[in-house]
Amino acid sequence: MCGIAGILSQQPEGLAPPRLEALTDMTDALQHRGPDGAGLWTDRHAGIALGHRRLAIVDLTESGRQPMLSGSGRYVVTFNGEIYNFQALRSELANCGHGFRGTSDTEVLLAAVEAWGLERALCRSRGMFALVLWDRKTRTLHFARDRMGKKPLYLLRAPTELLFASELKAFHRLAGSSLTIDPEAVTALLARGWVPDDRCIWSNVFKLPPAGILAVRAEALRQLPDVASLRAASRRWWSLEAVARAGRSDPIIASDEELVDELDALLRHAVGERMVADVPIGAFLSGGIDSSTVVAEMQAQSSRPVRTFTIGFSPSSYDESENAAAVARHLGTDHTELRLTAEAARNVIPELPHVWDEPFADESQIPTLLVARLARRDVTVAMTGDGGDECFAGYSRHVLAARLSPLLGATLAVRRPLAAALLRLAQASRSEPALRLPLPAGLERTLRSDRIDRLARLLLAPDENAFYAAATLASELCLDGRRMDSDRGQGDLGDLGDLASRIVLRDMEEYLPGDILVKLDRASMANSLEGRCPLLDHRVVELSWRVPMSAKIRHGKGKWLLRQVLARHVPRRLFERPKQGFDVPIAAWLRGPLREWASDLLGAERLRRQGLLDPVAVQACWNDHLVGRSDRSRVLWAALMLQAWIDAVAIPPRADALADHRDALQGA
């Protein structure tokens, strides 16, 4: 796992060589992604420079250094990621006469490119990666990203150059004055809590999409003057939609037991491939179904206790550490638990804009960052359970889609009375007398949250786009006055059959790469830790689309098939409980210890000066939340993360910016 960066100049040959000192600045900004070494490669006449920061995982010797030249010298690559089946590919290539200097997967990838071409080499590789490959013969720069979008790659179109890097912070020193905020990205952030892959907070930056591939000839760079042209020139070398359609057209016909056998064997293999490393390896363990399954498959293949890590903090209703400890005891792992006070968890908030250098507002970023920091004390690689919900229909919206699908087929005239009754219940629960009633914690959270309102909106959804928006968006009308456009802008997916399958596909295409994988990548790499996701092995993804929905959602619960696999390793009493997630009590914090900090960031005069958010809408939302009329913490957290990011990143940062934020929080 590493950080990559580079520059391609469009100036005439030899007149404007790449700015080597600038490339050093770019790679220095990515040092956290690769603390074990740095490398530069340049061809001044061609106007190309590639940079690399190394986190050594496989082949710790000098033969694994990058940028790396292929055996023939034709190709140069700067590569971020892992190829998990590199040993099998190496054996095949060696049998065909290819020689190898070292034992790294990067060298195997280069040999595969020379033998089969880039696209076929990618198709035959199992892994996570973002790479930039320079073809010295054709003077063409190739960009590529892994199937599911685990590793990031940003391209910035400057006036005379194309800059590229693993993170946006690599661009700040070079192009800070030319970076402008994209208002559409702000709207998406406020509505979703994250900026989707088809937009960037900076208007002149292009994110290569998952499974994206782009070729840029040096002499044709002028023909790609902006983000729109880069997007138009890119394409997908692997299609998730094609996989979904193929799976639905060729479903597995098997008994329940046979399905469990097949998934268990595939997960065992996927986990085993990801246990190959020349450094210590462990796993995040929350005690939930996904991470527990991954750890169980690891321990079944390990001759020693697997290192597992979890974070626990108060209040106890948000704490899963006891569940994780129980699973760890049963499996016999070497378990490390760090218990934090709420104050200690809040103290990382000033770091968030620097870790996620695009505004990011999934509050579970806090425990994810903390557990990554904890794990890095003892290991360099950590397995995670990310992807289980997407592959096996684990979110409540998947279950709701399956349950409500027949009702959604009815006319709005039939659905309106039920929705109106739900809204009356929600309104009554927030009245002054109701707010004074002592209620059980679980019921109080349900009534005070927006869950009932959201269910009503689901019932009123006129189409699937509206249904998905109601199920996922933090706010229907965002705090910048714009309405979020929830239209996919893609082809008809009716051939996928049921509504739940179409919602799952949208989550795989949008929420997974835009939120879940961004959260994991930045949190882990900020701590120089590599995160691996065996549940997102593309063979698992492909199998999940051949499995009938009845094997995913059964008895009103999602992830039925994954539960059966886990039950072979762990007693059901240790994991059959309501889904909790990796949550923190942001709603309560905003009414309590974070109130002064939030009030300052959301001040009306400050918002008027910026011109990004509507001060009136923000104040109304803030007041609703403070008096307990409704839980508006999701959209407020997004607004606060935007404001904190503006202070730390978007404007010329003051040397004391981070200290100011920390002082404000600790003084709360």
Side-chain angles (χ1 to χ4, degrees):
M1 201 57 56
C2 307
I4 62 178
I7 304 171
L8 177 64
S9 173
Q10 71 183 38
Q11 294 297 323
E13 184 174 304
L15 294 184
R19 295 176 286 166
L20 292 182
E21 71 285 355
L23 182 57
T24 301
D25 286 343
M26 292 175 71
T27 55
D28 284 351
L30 302 175
Q31 184 174 359
H32 54 286
R33 296 186 75 94
D36 297 331
L40 300 175
W41 180 91
T42 182
D43 183 338
R44 291 181 176 272
H45 291 292
I48 178 70
L50 302 178
H52 191 264
R53 291 292 320 196
R54 186 184 187 198
L55 177 62
I57 302 294
V58 176
D59 190 352
L60 311 186
T61 70
E62 287 296 301
S63 62
R65 285 177 57 88
Q66 296 186 49
M68 184 181 292
L69 271 71
S70 64
S72 69
R74 174 176 173 176
Y75 298 102
V76 190
V77 73
T78 183
F79 176 78
N80 168 30
E82 301 289 347
I83 305 297
Y84 299 122
N85 62 329
F86 78 97
Q87 293 172 327
L89 295 176
R90 178 190 172 101
S91 296
E92 182 178 345
L93 290 163
N95 290 336
C96 295
H98 285 269
F100 294 92
R101 302 179 298 274
T103 59
S104 75
D105 57 338
T106 306
E107 188 179 5
V108 172
L109 175 66
L110 280 169
V113 171
E114 289 202 314
W116 306 319
L118 175 59
E119 196 156 345
R120 190 178 172 208
L122 295 176
C123 290
R124 297 202 56 188
S125 298
R126 296 196 291 270
M128 57 178 180
F129 51 81
L131 64 88
V132 181
L133 179 80
W134 174 246
D135 185 337
R136 301 172 75 184
K137 180 178 179 180
T138 64
R139 292 164 57 97
T140 302
L141 194 60
H142 298 273
F143 303 88
R145 198 170 169 209
D146 66 70
R147 293 171 177 86
M148 302 305 294
K150 299 171 193 173
K151 294 292 106 182
L153 188 55
Y154 296 92
L155 288 76
L156 185 152
R157 190 61 173 97
T160 61
E161 295 165 318
L162 180 65
L163 283 65
F164 41 93
S166 297
E167 293 184 21
L168 292 173
K169 57 175 60 72
F171 301 143
H172 291 169
R173 194 172 299 178
L174 277 71
S177 61
S178 67
L179 293 170
T180 57
I181 293 176
D182 178 2
E184 296 294 338
V186 172
T187 299
L189 169 73
L190 294 169
R192 300 169 183 256
W194 42 274
V195 179
D197 250 25
D198 61 355
R199 304 213 72 89
C200 181
I201 194 64
W202 299 123
S203 58
N204 56 338
V205 173
F206 168 57
K207 299 176 185 174
L208 192 67
I213 190 167
L214 171 65
V216 179
R217 291 186 300 112
E219 58 268 26
L221 181 55
R222 294 177 186 275
Q223 299 172 18
L224 301 170
D226 52 26
V227 166
S229 61
L230 290 169
R231 182 176 292 114
S234 67
R235 57 185 178 83
R236 306 289 179 113
W237 60 269
W238 181 86
S239 169
L240 180 60
E241 284 193 20
V243 165
R245 286 192 169 95
R248 281 291 170 260
S249 65
D250 182 27
I252 295 176
I253 307 300
S255 67
D256 286 348
E257 190 67 20
E258 289 169 334
L259 287 176
V260 177
D261 287 342
E262 184 164 357
L263 179 58
D264 195 5
L266 180 53
L267 290 179
R268 183 77 54 92
H269 187 65
V271 167
E273 282 189 335
R274 285 158 180 79
M275 293 175 70
V276 176
D278 295 330
V279 293
I281 189 168
F284 298 166
L285 178 60
S286 70
I289 293 166
D290 306 335
S291 64
S292 297
T293 302
V294 169
V295 171
E297 299 286 11
M298 288 179 71
Q299 193 59 70
Q301 300 177 74
S302 178
S303 59
R304 62 183 66 181
V306 170
R307 296 299 307 268
T308 54
F309 304 89
T310 194
I311 292 286
F313 62 95
S314 299
S316 59
S317 59
Y318 291 87
D319 183 16
E320 287 192 307
S321 59
E322 290 185 9
N323 301 327
V327 172
R329 283 193 298 271
H330 177 79
L331 293 174
T333 72
D334 182 358
H335 190 59
T336 300
E337 174 188 313
L338 178 62
R339 296 200 62 82
L340 294 171
T341 63
E343 180 183 10
R346 291 194 301 269
N347 284 343
V348 306
I349 292 175
E351 301 177 42
L352 302 182
H354 300 270
V355 173
W356 285 271
D357 54 355
E358 186 172 38
F360 185 78
D362 180 338
E363 62 269 21
S364 64
Q365 65 197 116
I366 295 173
T368 305
L369 181 63
L370 290 171
V371 75
R373 185 170 297 169
L374 173 66
R376 188 59 177 94
R377 299 176 185 175
D378 299 300
V379 301
T380 312
V381 175
M383 300 275 202
T384 82
D386 293 299
D389 288 308
E390 289 77 12
C391 288
F392 299 101
Y395 294 128
S396 60
R397 56 181 170 268
H398 303 153
V399 178
L400 280 172
R403 283 180 169 177
L404 296 178
S405 186
L407 186 57
L408 292 174
T411 64
L412 280 174
V414 173
R415 289 182 268 145
R416 278 197 190 99
L418 179 55
L422 288 171
L423 290 173
R424 285 195 297 271
L425 173 62
Q427 187 175 12
S429 70
R430 295 162 191 156
S431 65
E432 289 297 331
L435 290 174
R436 292 194 293 268
L437 289 175
L439 298 172
L443 178 59
E444 183 179 14
R445 279 204 306 273
T446 298
L447 293 176
R448 304 290 188 263
S449 73
D450 61 353
R451 293 177 189 173
I452 298 176
D453 309 73
R454 186 165 296 178
L455 180 57
R457 292 200 302 270
L458 290 175
L459 289 172
L460 292 173
D463 53 41
E464 286 188 20
N465 281 326
F467 181 94
Y468 191 74
T472 58
L473 301 188
S475 175
E476 184 179 2
L477 183 64
C478 292
L479 301 180
D480 61 354
R482 297 167 177 259
R483 189 173 293 274
M484 178 66 190
D485 181 8
S486 61
D487 190 7
R488 285 175 53 91
Q490 297 187 18
D492 178 36
L493 298 175
D495 54 344
L496 290 186
D498 56 289
L499 174 62
S501 291
R502 295 193 289 276
I503 298 299
V504 166
L505 180 61
R506 288 198 65 165
D507 279 335
M508 278 189 171
E509 289 186 320
E510 300 174 24
Y511 181 62
L512 178 66
D515 183 313
I516 300 299
L517 296 178
V518 168
K519 177 175 61 179
L520 174 63
D521 177 79
R522 303 307 187 276
S524 58
M525 295 310 296
N527 293 286
S528 304
L529 177 77
E530 177 177 303
R532 296 181 175 181
C533 313
L535 296 180
L536 287 175
D537 184 296
H538 75 274
R539 297 165 300 174
V540 176
V541 173
E542 291 166 357
L543 175 66
S544 76
W545 282 106
R546 297 190 64 212
V547 168
M549 187 56 69
S550 61
K552 299 177 184 178
I553 299 175
R554 192 176 294 189
H555 309 307
K557 295 180 179 179
K559 296 192 287 197
W560 180 86
L561 185 57
L562 201 59
R563 292 170 190 267
Q564 310 318 303
V565 172
L566 180 56
R568 293 182 169 184
H569 304 275
V570 175
R572 289 186 183 273
R573 59 182 171 76
L574 296 183
F575 67 86
E576 288 290 5
R577 57 184 182 276
K579 181 176 176 63
Q580 183 169 307
F582 217 0
D583 294 329
V584 291
I586 290 294
W589 288 358
L590 290 178
R591 295 188 184 103
L594 295 183
R595 181 170 180 167
E596 184 177 348
W597 168 77
S599 294
D600 179 60
L601 286 178
L602 300 178
E605 181 57 34
R606 171 193 173 100
L607 299 183
R608 275 192 289 271
R609 286 197 311 268
Q610 291 172 353
L612 288 172
L613 304 184
D614 179 352
V616 175
V618 170
Q619 197 59 49
C621 181
W622 182 226
N623 289 338
D624 278 352
H625 185 80
L626 288 180
V627 300
R629 192 173 297 117
S630 60
D631 179 357
R632 303 303 303 275
S633 58
R634 290 184 67 202
V635 68
L636 286 169
W637 186 246
L640 289 164
M641 287 296 95
L642 173 66
Q643 294 301 303
W645 174 83
I646 287 172
D647 279 0
V649 177
I651 62 175
R654 307 187 316 275
D656 59 347
L658 183 60
D660 283 353
H661 280 294
R662 184 173 288 112
D663 291 345
L665 287 168
Q666 291 178 343

